[in-house]
Amino acid sequence: MLDILKDLIKYSASSPAEEDVNVHRREFFRETVIQVADALREIAKETAVGPSRRYLRPPGAVEEFEFVSRCTRCDECIKVCPHYAIRGADTGSGLALGSPIIDAREQPCMLCEDFPCIRVCKEGALVMPKRREDVRMGVAVVNKEKCISGVVQFCQSCVIACPFPDEAIYMEEGKPVVNKEKCTGCGICERACMTVNSACAIKIIPL
């Protein structure tokens, strides 16, 4: 980005008289401004989102960079969550500091029927889905080496706990399998796995 700015300064210092060169100069300025704006946007995204976001956003959250821009940190979604699943992001979250997050291992999203957290959002950071199953907070990933099902005992705690059993997650050859197209990323399966497995075999990857 510094090279782009240097070229912009160098080019602006010259003053050829030819009209065609002036046209090219205007085009150069236009393209340079676009490139600088894109570069700044990427820097802002990296600062806001961070390289390895572990936490989830509440259901209905818009794209992450837009979410951070829209969310006013009013805490209304945090206050109305009946399961205390939503809290403010702590230090180390960059520009996302104080914005609402969910840590499935602390308390997953229970996918309330009426989504009170979305209803109180006035800034459009959370958008009401048509159906509960349309929520896409993340996707569950199963580490089969850590899964005790079929090794120590037969276990299907994740399937039983899932709001959409046999759709979002199901058993196949004694092991849980996640349907990525159906998984809401609520984290209920991850929390359930922790109650029976010393080394949690499920992790929710944020979208």
Side-chain angles (χ1 to χ4, degrees), residues 75-83 116-118 120:
D75 292 348
E76 290 303 314
C77 59
I78 297 175
K79 296 174 184 176
V80 300
C81 179
H83 303 285
C117 56
I118 300 178
V120 296

Side-chain angles (χ1 to χ4, degrees), residues 7 12 39 43 53 65 75 84 95 107 113 159 171 177 185:
D7 289 341
S12 63
I43 291 173
R53 179 166 64 93
F65 181 69
D75 292 348
Y84 306 101
L95 295 180
Q107 176 61 43
E113 291 284 353
V159 176
M171 299 299 292
V177 177

